[in-house]
Amino acid sequence: MELVHSAIEWMLTWAASPYAVLALFIFSFWESSFFPLPPDPLLIAMAVANPAMAPYYALVCTVASVGGAALGYFIGKKGGRPLVYKIFKAKRVEPVEGLYRRYDAWAVGAAAFTPIPYKVFTITAGIAKINFWRFILFSFLGRGARFFLVGMAVYFFGPSIQLAIDEYFELFTLGFLFLLILGFVAAKFVGDYLTRRESGRDTISG
């Protein structure tokens, strides 16, 4: 947890950089395929510093994240299981495939909005070979809803949000870490549940 906290603090140092927008784009892009940390803390820091630009920052996050999702999709599609299993454990990938079989691209939209690790869904979408354009559409909807919710909140309530974040920044960081960890736990719980469910069906059918 301390490592993640340090990584978030390092990410936030880019907020005051002349390359802040580029850094936001890169973090958002790679988070959808490789990078372990979501760009939300940097988005919030930049939006609070300049509330008038908050919608623009949210758009940067959304476009970059969907671009990274497309990369993750093609990694899964072209690399196949051997490559993907070098990145993620099979027990994390196979349950996500089960979600795609049941809910198709709706699973993408849900994962794009929640703290669930999105990269697992983008890469697995390529393995499952769900329709690419439907995948992109739901990625835009999920990621856009998530980032614009943050950006527009700062845009409309900037001063009060800025005071709250400045005063309770440490608690905010800990809360974000909690949500991040909760997302991983939720992904594992859902994965284990679906695995048991599939095993039970196989036993009955056998």
Side-chain angles (χ1 to χ4, degrees):
M1 187 169 178
E2 183 62 32
L3 181 62
V4 177
H5 190 280
S6 299
I8 292 176
E9 290 185 339
W10 170 75
M11 180 192 293
L12 291 174
T13 61
W14 288 93
S17 165
Y19 306 103
V21 174
L22 178 60
L24 182 64
F25 185 95
I26 292 173
F27 285 132
S28 301
F29 183 92
W30 286 116
E31 185 267 336
S32 295
S33 49
F34 290 107
F35 195 64
L37 295 179
D40 303 65
L42 182 57
L43 168 62
I44 293 172
M46 292 172 61
V48 164
N50 191 351
M53 292 292 288
Y56 171 68
Y57 297 147
L59 179 62
V60 169
C61 266
T62 301
V63 172
S65 184
V66 174
L71 174 62
Y73 179 95
F74 284 110
I75 288 174
K77 184 175 181 179
K78 301 298 182 181
R81 295 179 187 277
L83 174 61
V84 173
Y85 286 165
K86 290 181 180 179
I87 304 174
F88 304 112
K89 295 180 180 179
K91 65 180 182 180
R92 293 185 64 186
V93 174
E94 292 168 358
V96 175
E97 286 188 276
L99 288 175
Y100 283 136
R101 285 194 295 271
R102 289 177 177 81
Y103 306 110
D104 196 67
W106 286 100
V108 178
F113 185 77
T114 65
I116 293 175
Y118 189 44
K119 62 190 69 61
V120 181
F121 281 77
T122 64
I123 294 177
T124 306
I127 295 178
K129 293 183 171 60
I130 70 171
N131 181 273
F132 176 72
W133 294 112
R134 193 156 60 242
F135 166 79
I136 291 296
L137 172 63
F138 279 87
S139 292
F140 260 114
L141 293 175
R143 296 269 100 173
R146 172 173 170 166
F147 295 135
F148 273 93
L149 178 65
V150 173
M152 297 311 292
V154 176
Y155 180 79
F156 286 110
F157 307 104
S160 57
I161 288 180
Q162 182 171 3
L163 290 174
I165 291 178
D166 288 343
E167 185 174 355
Y168 302 106
F169 183 76
E170 191 66 24
L171 289 176
F172 161 75
T173 304
L174 291 174
F176 178 81
L177 285 173
F178 174 75
L179 288 176
L180 185 64
I181 294 171
L182 184 63
F184 279 96
V185 172
K188 183 179 185 305
F189 175 80
V190 171
D192 291 345
Y193 169 75
L194 289 175
T195 300
R196 290 194 301 269
R197 185 174 176 180
E198 291 293 328
S199 298
R201 287 184 175 181
D202 292 341
T203 302
I204 294 174
S205 61

